[in-house]
Amino acid sequence: MAKELPKKARVVIVGGGVIGCSIAYHLTKIGWDEVVLVERKQLTSGTTWHAAGLIGQLRDSQNMTKLAKYTAELYLSLEEETGQSTGYKINGSLSTATHAGRMEDLQRRADMARVFDLKVDVLGPEGCKDHYPPLNVDDVIGGIFIPSDGQADPVGITQALAKGARMGGAQIFERTKVERVLVDGGKAVGVATEKGDIAADYVVLACGMWTREFASTIGVNVPLHACEHFYILTEPHDAITPDLPVYRDYDACAYYKEDAGKMLLGAFETVAKPWGMDGIPDDFEFGQLPDDFDHFMPILEGAMHRMPFFEEAGIQTFFCGPESFTQDDRYHMGPAPEVESLFVAAGLNSIGIQSAGGIGKAISEWMRDGLPPSDLNSVDIRRNMPFQGNRRYLHDRVTETLGLLYDVHWPFYQYRTARGARRTPLHERHAANNACFGETAGWERANWFAPAGVEPVYEYSYTRQNWFEHSAAEHRAVRDGVGLIDMSSFAKFRLRGADAETVLGQISANDVAVAPGRLVYTQWLNERGGIEADLTVTRLAEDDYLIVTSAGAQVRDLHWLKSRTPADARSVATDVTSAYAVLAVMGPGARDLLQPLTPADLSNEAFPFGASREIELGYALVRASRVTYVGELGWELYVPTEFAAHVYDVLAEAGGDGLAHVGMHAVNSLRIEKAYRHWGHDISDEETPLEAGLGFAVAWDKPGGFIGRDALLAQKEAGVGQRMVQFRLDDPEPLLYHNEPIYRDGAIVGYVTSGMYGHTLGGAIGLGYVKGQAPVGADHIASGSYEILVNGVMVPATASLRPLYDPKSERIKC
C-alpha cells in the first residue's frame, strides 16, 4: 500500500539526488523529526546517477576542504551504518603538470594542504609514474598525490544516505512532483504536490538542474545552467588494474577512473556545450543526451598520448548527460534572501558526490542554529546578483566555467565570457584611458591602466604579471601625489524613517547616533560576535542614513539589514546602488586638486576626517565624504549618476597630467600596506572584531547595546585565541596571494588571508591570523620568529600588529 503524504512536516526537501538525501540524513542526525523528502521521479534520477563518483578533498579554502574531508570520512562509515553498499574505496588521487604555471599551482595547493592537515605528496615525473604505471610522462614535469582520496558509487552513496535518513525517521516519497512552494507573507510555509499539500516550517530546494527555473516561480534567484558532460568507458585491458588511483590530467582537460577493469575517461573541456536553455523536459529522468564524438575527440586524442593503451582499447560506452554549472564554479547553498525559511542547495559543478556529506551537515546545522557552522561566504547563495539568473548570461558564462574546473587557478584571472553586463557611468572614459577591466559582481572595473603603446590585456602567471609595474606606478602616485579611482561599484543603501537610528544602532557594533554629516566605520555582527558585514554608515539627516559596503556584498548585506529589522520598526531600507557613481580622490595632493573646484572649505579644521557634506563641484551637487581605503588623505565623492561624467571631466581637466588614473589592483596593494581588512578574505562571520584587530570600532557601552555584544564581552574577558597580523616578506622577490601557510617558531599557526605586493614597503605584504593559546596578545606575536611557505620555499617574514605603513594614521588626518 502506498504511503500517504503527511499534512505537516518540519522540513520538506525537494529533490532526491545525493544532495537532498544527505540533507535529510543530517537533519535526522541533529535530532529533527518530521523530515520529508519529495522526489519527482526516482532517487538519483537527473544527474546523480551518472556522476563519476570521484572523492577529492583539497579545495581552495580551509572551510571548503573541511567539508570535503568530512564527506570522505562519512562515506567510510556509511556502509557499516546502513548496510547499503557504497562502492567506496580509498585509492588516492594523482594530478600532473606539463608546464611551470600548472606545477606552481599544484605546489601551492600542496602548501595550502598543510594548513588543512591534509597529506599531499609533491612528485617528480617518475614519482607520478610509480603511482600510475600506464602513464606516458615524457612531457610531465611533476604532480601531486593525495593518498586519502578515492572513488565511490554515486547511486550506492545516495541510497545509503536515503536509508540512513529513513532509519532516523525521515519519510521519502518518490514519483511525487512538487508543483510549487507555498509562500505566505514572504515566508515559505510548505509545498503543493500533485498528491496534496504539505505544510512545513522550512523548505529546502535541492532540485539539481531544475532549481533555477523552479525557484524563479517564487522570485528566488538561483543562477545555474545545465551543460553537456561527456565521458567514455573502455573495454577491459591488462593495463587497467584495480589499484590505480583517480587521475587528473588537468592540462588535457581529462580525468580517469578505474571501473571494474575498465577505464572511465571524462572531460572538462575548455569550451563547453550548454543544454536546456529553454527548459528541461518534464519527463527527463535517467536520460542521456545525443552523442557528439567530434566534440570529445580532442580529449580522446590526449588520452592516447597520456596512456598509449587507449590506442588499442575498445570503447564500450560513450555517454553524454547533463550537469548544472554556476557562473563562478562555486555551488549555491544557504537561506534564500527573497523568501524566509527557504534554503537552497544546488549548482554543484560536477562535484556533488564529493561535496554532499559536507553540504548536508552544513545546511542542517545552519537551519538549526540560524547561522552557518563556519565561513561559507564563497558558496553562500546571497553572493549572487539578481541579473546573474538571466538565462542568456548563464548560457554564455557556463561555456567557460565548466572548463575552468581544470584550468590553472591563475592569480587575478578574469572571466572571458558574459562580460560587459554592469558598467559604471565612466566606463568609456576609462576605456579611452587604456584601462584593463576586471569583473566583480558583474561590474566592469578598471583594474589597471596601460601606458601608451601597451595593450591592456592580462598575461597570466604566478610571477610578476605584465601589469605589475604599471600598477606600481599608480600605487606610488597615490602615496606621493593624487589619484582618481572609480569606486562606483560600491553597494549603497538608504535607511529612512523615524526608527532608523534605533534599528541601525542595534545592528551596528559602533555608535551610529552621530550628528548629521558624520560618517561611522562599523561592523555588523551576528549573535556569536562574528563579522557579518564591514561598512560605513553616514548620517544624512535625523531619519536618514546612507550605508556603503562592497560590491560583492550587495545582496547579502541588504538581506542582513532587512532580516534584522523588527517587523514593527518605522524604517525602510532601499538599495540605491545605481543612483550614485563614486569617485575617490586620494593622495597627499587631494586637497590641492579639489579646493579650487568647490566653494566648500576643505581644510582639516573645517572638513575633518569622518565628515560628510554635500558640496558644489563643477555644475553638480555631490556628497563628499572624507574617508579612505588606501591610507592617504582623500575624499569619496558620491555623484548622482547623471552628473558622473561631468564631474569626472572637471576633475580630469583640473588634474591634467599630474592626476593618476588608478585601478583596483593598486587599491588592493595600497589597502594591504595599511593593513585595512577586506570582508570575505580577512574577516568573515567566523571572526570577531577583537580577533581582527577592529575593537576600536566597537561602542561597548552605547545605549541599547548591539547584536553580538554579549559574545564579544565574553571573549574580551577570556582573551582571543587568534589575532590578525600583518606580514612583510624579508625577501623582496616572492609574491603572496592567499592561503600560504604561516609558521611561528617552526610550527604552522595560520595562513595568509590576502596578499599583494607593497610597493612602498618594498616586499610582498600579507594579512593572516596567528593562532595560539588564549590570550594571544602583543607579547605573543612579538616573541615569535615567522616564516611563510611560498611555492614550497620557507621565506622569513616580519610580523606586526600595527600597520607597517603609517602606523599612527597621521597621513589620513592631516
Side-chain angles (χ1 to χ4, degrees), residues 512 514-520 537-542 544-546 606-614 623-626:
V512 299
V514 294
R518 294 298 300 173
L519 178 147
V520 177
V537 172
T538 303
R539 192 164 200 169
L540 307 180
E542 292 296 327
D544 192 357
Y545 286 89
L546 173 66
F607 208 131
F609 185 78
S612 178
R613 294 175 194 155
E614 192 171 78
R623 173 158 294 279
S625 295
R626 189 166 165 199

Side-chain angles (χ1 to χ4, degrees), residues 531-761:
I531 301 171
E532 292 285 344
D534 180 70
L535 39 76
T536 61
V537 172
T538 303
R539 192 164 200 169
L540 307 180
E542 292 296 327
D543 60 352
D544 192 357
Y545 286 89
L546 173 66
I547 301 162
V548 179
T549 187
S550 65
Q554 182 175 348
V555 172
R556 192 183 193 281
D557 287 359
L558 186 60
H559 174 251
W560 186 265
L561 174 61
K562 289 182 173 181
S563 67
R564 293 312 192 268
T565 298
D568 60 352
R570 296 170 296 166
S571 66
V572 176
T574 307
D575 189 326
V576 295
T577 299
S578 298
Y580 301 98
V582 182
L583 286 168
V585 180
M586 295 288 156
R591 184 180 286 115
D592 294 337
L593 171 64
L594 287 172
Q595 187 62 84
L597 306 179
T598 178
D601 186 351
L602 302 183
S603 67
N604 194 49
E605 295 74 23
F607 208 131
F609 185 78
S612 178
R613 294 175 194 155
E614 192 171 78
I615 67 171
E616 296 178 19
L617 203 160
Y619 299 147
L621 294 176
V622 307
R623 173 158 294 279
S625 295
R626 189 166 165 199
V627 66
T628 182
Y629 193 51
V630 297
E632 300 294 340
L633 168 70
W635 281 263
E636 290 176 357
L637 306 177
Y638 290 79
V639 187
T641 301
E642 66 270 30
F643 289 96
H646 165 69
V647 171
Y648 175 92
D649 291 342
V650 169
L651 293 169
E653 182 180 358
D657 293 339
L659 177 64
H661 298 278
V662 177
M664 299 310 294
H665 288 336
V667 171
N668 197 28
S669 60
L670 289 159
R671 72 96 184 167
I672 284 183
E673 279 195 331
K674 193 66 176 69
Y676 287 152
R677 282 57 165 157
H678 182 273
W679 196 91
H681 286 95
D682 310 310
I683 49 179
S684 73
D685 53 3
E686 212 169 353
E687 293 84 30
T688 71
L690 294 175
E691 294 167 334
L694 299 174
F696 66 88
V698 176
W700 296 95
D701 299 322
K702 66 176 178 175
F706 54 89
I707 296 171
R709 179 177 181 271
D710 290 345
L712 278 193
L713 286 172
Q715 186 181 64
K716 188 177 184 181
E717 182 176 348
V720 298
Q722 62 176 3
R723 286 291 301 273
M724 169 63 74
V725 177
Q726 186 184 39
F727 297 92
R728 179 183 60 200
L729 296 185
D730 294 346
D731 182 343
E733 287 306 309
L735 300 179
L736 294 174
Y737 298 112
H738 64 275
N739 284 336
E740 294 89 354
I742 299 168
Y743 287 77
R744 180 182 183 273
D745 298 336
I748 292 179
V749 291
Y751 59 94
V752 173
T753 53
S754 62
M756 201 73 174
Y757 200 83
H759 300 288
T760 309
L761 295 176

Side-chain angles (χ1 to χ4, degrees), residues 11 41 81-83 107 143 160 191 316 401 423 434 449 498 508 510 512 522 548 605 618 627 682 729 770:
V11 184
K41 296 293 185 181
E81 176 188 348
T82 65
Q107 175 67 68
V191 298
Q316 183 183 85
T401 56
R423 301 182 182 186
N434 230 17
F449 289 86
S508 303
N510 212 342
V512 299
T522 188
V548 179
E605 295 74 23
V627 66
D682 310 310
L729 296 185
V770 170

Side-chain angles (χ1 to χ4, degrees), residues 422 478 674:
R422 303 177 83 184
V478 173
K674 193 66 176 69

Side-chain angles (χ1 to χ4, degrees), residues 371-582:
L371 295 170
S374 59
D375 171 20
L376 298 175
N377 176 60
S378 66
V379 292
D380 191 325
I381 191 169
R382 294 170 295 175
R383 75 185 185 277
N384 298 305
M385 298 297 113
F387 86 93
Q388 290 176 318
N390 177 286
R391 295 185 188 196
R392 181 176 175 185
Y393 167 84
L394 286 167
H395 172 276
D396 294 349
R397 173 55 62 85
V398 298
T399 62
E400 178 182 8
T401 56
L402 180 146
L404 286 179
L405 285 176
Y406 275 23
D407 201 356
V408 177
H409 295 78
W410 294 118
F412 311 105
Y413 178 81
Q414 304 298 325
Y415 292 108
R416 304 183 308 273
T417 55
R419 293 290 299 271
R422 303 177 83 184
R423 301 182 182 186
T424 81
L426 307 170
H427 181 87
E428 296 307 322
R429 281 162 170 75
H430 299 324
N433 282 315
N434 230 17
C436 186
F437 294 97
E439 182 203 333
T440 295
W443 285 103
E444 295 292 326
R445 307 197 301 183
N447 277 350
W448 56 281
F449 289 86
V454 175
E455 189 177 1
V457 296
Y458 280 92
E459 296 173 10
Y460 296 116
S461 75
Y462 274 96
T463 57
R464 287 163 169 73
Q465 295 187 10
N466 61 314
W467 49 266
F468 183 87
E469 288 301 333
H470 309 315
S471 184
E474 298 167 22
H475 178 114
R476 296 186 186 104
V478 173
R479 289 281 182 253
D480 301 332
V482 60
L484 182 61
I485 311 163
D486 184 357
M487 305 188 87
S488 302
S489 60
F490 277 155
K492 315 163 196 81
F493 316 132
R494 293 283 283 273
L495 184 69
R496 292 183 253 200
D499 292 336
E501 178 187 303
T502 302
V503 168
L504 209 48
Q506 264 293 297
I507 294 173
S508 303
N510 212 342
D511 189 358
V512 299
V514 294
R518 294 298 300 173
L519 178 147
V520 177
Y521 172 59
T522 188
Q523 286 77 46
W524 291 351
L525 310 181
N526 57 41
E527 289 75 7
R528 300 170 182 159
I531 301 171
E532 292 285 344
D534 180 70
L535 39 76
T536 61
V537 172
T538 303
R539 192 164 200 169
L540 307 180
E542 292 296 327
D543 60 352
D544 192 357
Y545 286 89
L546 173 66
I547 301 162
V548 179
T549 187
S550 65
Q554 182 175 348
V555 172
R556 192 183 193 281
D557 287 359
L558 186 60
H559 174 251
W560 186 265
L561 174 61
K562 289 182 173 181
S563 67
R564 293 312 192 268
T565 298
D568 60 352
R570 296 170 296 166
S571 66
V572 176
T574 307
D575 189 326
V576 295
T577 299
S578 298
Y580 301 98
V582 182

Side-chain angles (χ1 to χ4, degrees), residues 156-180:
I157 289 288
T158 306
Q159 293 293 354
L161 289 166
K163 186 173 181 180
R166 291 190 186 101
M167 291 165 61
Q171 297 184 73
I172 296 177
F173 296 87
E174 298 179 90
R175 301 289 177 190
T176 305
K177 182 180 179 181
V178 175
E179 296 175 329
R180 67 183 185 279

